[in-house]
Amino acid sequence: MLVRQLRSELRWMLRRPRTLIGLGGLCLVPIVVGFGVWLATRDEGGGGGAGLEGILRGNGLVLPIFALFLSAGLLLPMVASIWSADGLAGESQHGTLRGLLIAPVSRVRLLVIKFFGLAAMSLFAVTMMAVVGVVSGIAFLGNDGMLTLSGNVLTTGQAVGRIALFVLLITFQMISIGAVGLAISACTEHPLVVQASVMAGFIVFAVLGNLPSLDWLDPFLITTALPGLLDVMRDPMPTEQLWDSTFLAACYLVIGLSLATMRLVTKDS
């Protein structure tokens, strides 16, 4: 029965037009970035540049990491907030949550199913972006291995491994934001409130992380951990910031799911 419920949740999410539109929009990001870098390289006759933009030229396997990193600042959290809002607040708005709450299924299992849908769609979206990024990068920029931020060149196999690791890291960050969205979603029946709250909090965190006088807040802000994920582009790869960012995301995940569980088990409507 659990497998059927999980499959039904995924089928329900994939049938929504806004889900398909969101996935399509995310897949356009690496294509647009790759085409833009290709145009810049062609107009300037090649050449270098600073940071990832310079490394991208002639190194198509860097494109998926670059596109995911750009999207992690706004687009991916926004998509996660939409899915978390539809999970509980959307059901409540359409009047279907009441039936789910009185069904002979535990409320914890209901939350597990909603969280599974969020996690599965997050992994699917990030993986799709990475695949489209690899194809676009090779098509627009070529494939001579992966030039890292340390100046070393990785083989194609090593580059694919780094891309897969980055996909998992970004997905986990996205799921942790969605878990906070589920906690808010359990407290309201208006999906727009959830989306606005998650995105407003994300923007406020980004602003606080840029204030020197509030540096003591940095270890607690999930936005300040995102730049550390680019360590996957170094060789040898340092792991301290990767572990720190993953641990911080895990804390947000536990807090979000705990609050969602506390609210859902006492929810009457």
Side-chain angles (χ1 to χ4, degrees), residues 198-259:
V198 173
M199 294 311 302
F202 198 80
I203 294 172
V204 169
F205 278 20
V207 173
L208 294 178
N210 289 320
L211 298 178
S213 59
L214 297 177
D215 287 344
W216 56 274
L217 277 176
D218 289 351
F220 307 100
L221 303 178
I222 194 170
T223 52
T224 59
L226 293 177
L229 298 180
L230 286 179
D231 280 348
V232 300
M233 283 288 299
R234 303 186 187 277
D235 186 46
M237 182 176 62
T239 59
E240 181 179 358
Q241 292 193 70
L242 299 182
W243 281 114
D244 290 344
S245 60
T246 303
F247 176 75
L248 181 61
C251 292
Y252 278 87
L253 177 65
V254 172
I255 293 173
L257 290 181
S258 299
L259 293 176

Side-chain angles (χ1 to χ4, degrees), residues 67-102:
L68 286 173
F69 180 72
L70 289 179
S71 302
L74 183 62
L75 293 180
L76 290 176
M78 181 176 64
V79 172
S81 69
I82 293 174
W83 289 334
S84 61
D86 287 335
L88 294 175
E91 295 271 15
S92 181
Q93 184 183 49
H94 291 92
T96 55
L97 184 61
R98 181 184 295 271
L100 294 174
L101 293 178
I102 64 176

Side-chain angles (χ1 to χ4, degrees), residues 63-224:
L63 180 61
I65 294 180
F66 185 53
L68 286 173
F69 180 72
L70 289 179
S71 302
L74 183 62
L75 293 180
L76 290 176
M78 181 176 64
V79 172
S81 69
I82 293 174
W83 289 334
S84 61
D86 287 335
L88 294 175
E91 295 271 15
S92 181
Q93 184 183 49
H94 291 92
T96 55
L97 184 61
R98 181 184 295 271
L100 294 174
L101 293 178
I102 64 176
V105 177
S106 69
R107 299 187 177 192
V108 175
R109 171 179 283 194
L110 174 61
L111 181 61
V112 169
I113 293 172
K114 295 300 182 182
F115 175 72
F116 171 80
L118 168 67
M121 290 303 301
S122 299
L123 179 60
F124 182 63
V126 176
T127 303
M128 280 187 62
M129 285 191 66
V131 172
V132 174
V134 170
V135 175
S136 302
I138 294 176
F140 287 123
L141 307 173
N143 177 24
D144 296 325
M146 176 185 284
L147 179 62
T148 67
L149 294 173
S150 303
N152 301 329
V153 178
L154 302 178
T155 64
T156 301
Q158 292 173 325
V160 171
R162 296 295 181 92
I163 294 172
L165 175 60
F166 197 74
V167 165
L168 294 177
L169 293 173
I170 289 293
T171 300
F172 192 69
Q173 298 285 328
M174 188 176 176
I175 292 173
S176 66
I177 296 172
V180 176
L182 279 177
I184 303 174
S185 185
C187 300
T188 180
E189 57 183 28
H190 302 288
L192 289 179
V193 173
V194 181
Q195 300 172 30
S197 300
V198 173
M199 294 311 302
F202 198 80
I203 294 172
V204 169
F205 278 20
V207 173
L208 294 178
N210 289 320
L211 298 178
S213 59
L214 297 177
D215 287 344
W216 56 274
L217 277 176
D218 289 351
F220 307 100
L221 303 178
I222 194 170
T223 52
T224 59

Side-chain angles (χ1 to χ4, degrees), residues 32-56:
V32 173
V33 173
F35 182 70
V37 174
W38 174 76
L39 282 180
T41 303
R42 186 190 63 174
D43 294 341
E44 297 176 10
L52 281 175
E53 294 87 346
I55 295 177
L56 271 171

